[in-house]
Amino acid sequence: MFERFAKALDENMRENYEKGLYEGEKKVLKNLLLKKFGKKITPYIDKIDSLNIETIEYITENIFGINYEETVEILNRKKKEK
């Protein structure tokens, strides 16, 4: 019984940790985009909340090479599974 409890607790902690990282990555990306594109990106910034982690990482990793039009295109894509 204790083993099941410990396993459930461990899984819960891992999920919370991953969720925290995901939320942190979204916040960092929002800040990077606001610094790079200024106020013109503001209408699209909340769309980051619906992006999957792979897309968030792609934009973040390519922040120096990605242009405004490509960024808006990515942010306007339909919501994908997280």
Side-chain angles (χ1 to χ4, degrees):
M1 184 166 138
F2 178 76
E3 289 177 9
R4 287 193 321 206
F5 174 75
K7 183 178 179 182
L9 183 61
D10 186 47
E11 288 176 12
N12 189 339
M13 289 173 59
R14 182 181 46 78
E15 287 174 10
N16 286 336
Y17 176 76
E18 290 175 358
K19 187 176 183 179
L21 287 177
Y22 180 62
E23 292 301 317
E25 289 197 36
K26 289 191 291 188
K27 184 176 180 178
V28 167
L29 180 57
K30 289 177 183 181
N31 288 334
L32 287 171
L33 291 176
L34 286 168
K35 286 183 187 229
K36 180 167 183 166
F37 299 120
K39 290 182 180 182
K40 68 181 180 178
I41 199 71
T42 301
Y44 306 99
I45 214 75
D46 286 338
K47 294 183 179 208
I48 291 170
D49 292 327
S50 67
L51 296 178
N52 61 33
I53 192 67
E54 291 83 12
T55 305
I56 290 170
E57 289 174 345
Y58 172 81
I59 298 171
T60 303
E61 290 169 2
N62 293 286
I63 195 69
F64 296 114
I66 197 168
N67 64 36
Y68 176 77
E69 290 77 19
E70 183 180 2
T71 303
V72 169
E73 178 187 326
I74 292 169
L75 294 176
N76 279 328
R77 289 181 188 159
K78 293 192 184 241
K79 181 178 180 177
K80 294 187 179 181
E81 193 175 309
K82 292 181 185 174

